Amino acid sequence: MPGQAQILPGIAITRHVLPNQSAPIRQFAYFLALSKKQGGNDLTEEGKAILVTGYKAHELGIYSADHQGISVIRYALKKSMREFADQGVQWFVISGQTGVELWAGSVCIELRDEEKLNVHLAVLVPFLNQDEHYKEWQQELYAEVLAQADYTGVISNRPYENPAQLRLKNDFLVAKTEAMLIVYDEEAPGTPRYYLAAAKSKKRNHDYPIQIINRYDLDFAAEDLQQQNPNYWTQ
């Protein structure tokens, strides 16, 4: 997409082929009916819920699991998500789309399991079989994240039918969360602009902070990684 090189430092893409196997697919409860049955939004009962989103993998020019740009994005996400956790945030919410959201999901799991922070991951997918057309390496990560999530649900209890399901997903997840963390740059809007539009609409009438990780934040993240490991970019 236009602006790819502006979002991530220029890195040669190295392809990684996963074994030819079908990723396990987890069945979801119908979240809308479940939340109605429980009498409200259970995601925020124990602490604030933050929606984490951003570019899809292909929008960043990332087509393999071992692309070094993933480490840069994960580093920036972990820094921001750790800061949110220090402020009392307990839930991070994603829809499970490829790219930033799945990387954020794996970061949340690491913060929970390795750093022992009191955080939880909710994955609310927009429709059934979302990963049907994902690349194999993306399906594997999708399955891993969903298997380790603390809460999973499906917003539209049907396979993909039309773009209205995506708009519903954007509006629903913004409505169910109390802030947004988004990897985004104004000069390369891409698909995150739809999430951002929903967030700005809510922000007009409610307190809904929007924290953006932009190209400069990713540059700083890359510099930090280089300082920690001078051989990082030559590996």
Side-chain angles (χ1 to χ4, degrees), residues 32 126 155-156 163-173:
L32 289 176
I155 298 170
S156 173
Q165 290 166 291
L166 299 177
R167 291 193 295 271
L168 173 63
K169 176 258 299 183
N170 295 342
D171 293 340
F172 181 79
L173 293 185

Side-chain angles (χ1 to χ4, degrees), residues 122-190:
V123 185
L124 302 177
V125 303
F127 46 80
L128 297 174
N129 304 320
Q130 176 178 222
D131 64 330
E132 183 177 8
H133 298 295
Y134 286 7
K135 300 299 183 182
E136 198 167 11
W137 64 275
Q138 296 168 331
Q139 287 182 332
E140 183 172 275
L141 179 58
Y142 183 82
E144 290 175 357
V145 168
L146 266 63
Q148 298 178 72
D150 299 284
Y151 187 100
T152 58
V154 59
I155 298 170
S156 173
N157 197 28
R158 303 184 303 276
Y160 179 77
E161 296 171 349
N162 56 66
Q165 290 166 291
L166 299 177
R167 291 193 295 271
L168 173 63
K169 176 258 299 183
N170 295 342
D171 293 340
F172 181 79
L173 293 185
V174 168
K176 287 289 183 179
T177 53
E178 295 166 294
M180 172 184 283
L181 174 63
I182 182 170
V183 177
Y184 183 75
D185 192 274
E186 292 286 351
E187 295 186 16

Side-chain angles (χ1 to χ4, degrees), residues 7-23:
I7 300 299
L8 280 174
I11 308 168
I13 296 174
T14 303
R15 295 190 177 277
H16 175 66
V17 180
L18 295 173
N20 184 19
Q21 58 184 21
S22 298

Side-chain angles (χ1 to χ4, degrees), residues 29-49 90-93 120-122 124 150-153 172 175-178:
Y30 184 31
F31 179 73
L32 289 176
L34 181 61
S35 60
K36 181 178 180 181
K37 179 180 179 182
Q38 294 178 342
N41 178 9
D42 61 323
L43 294 181
T44 58
E45 288 179 357
E46 297 180 357
K48 291 185 177 180
Q90 293 187 18
W91 283 96
F92 292 100
V93 183
H120 311 284
L121 175 65
L124 302 177
D150 299 284
Y151 187 100
T152 58
F172 181 79
K176 287 289 183 179
T177 53
E178 295 166 294

Side-chain angles (χ1 to χ4, degrees), residues 52-109:
V52 189
T53 189
Y55 296 102
K56 297 178 181 179
H58 72 272
E59 293 181 289
L60 295 166
I62 295 177
Y63 300 100
S64 64
D66 57 357
H67 191 295
Q68 289 177 320
I70 296 175
S71 297
V72 175
I73 295 170
R74 282 173 47 86
Y75 184 90
L77 285 168
K78 182 171 285 188
K79 180 177 182 293
S80 293
M81 292 168 70
R82 189 184 290 115
E83 290 172 353
F84 273 121
D86 290 341
Q87 296 168 14
V89 169
Q90 293 187 18
W91 283 96
F92 292 100
V93 183
I94 62 173
S95 71
Q97 70 182 23
T98 69
V100 170
E101 291 198 17
L102 286 181
W103 301 326
S106 65
V107 165
C108 181
I109 292 166

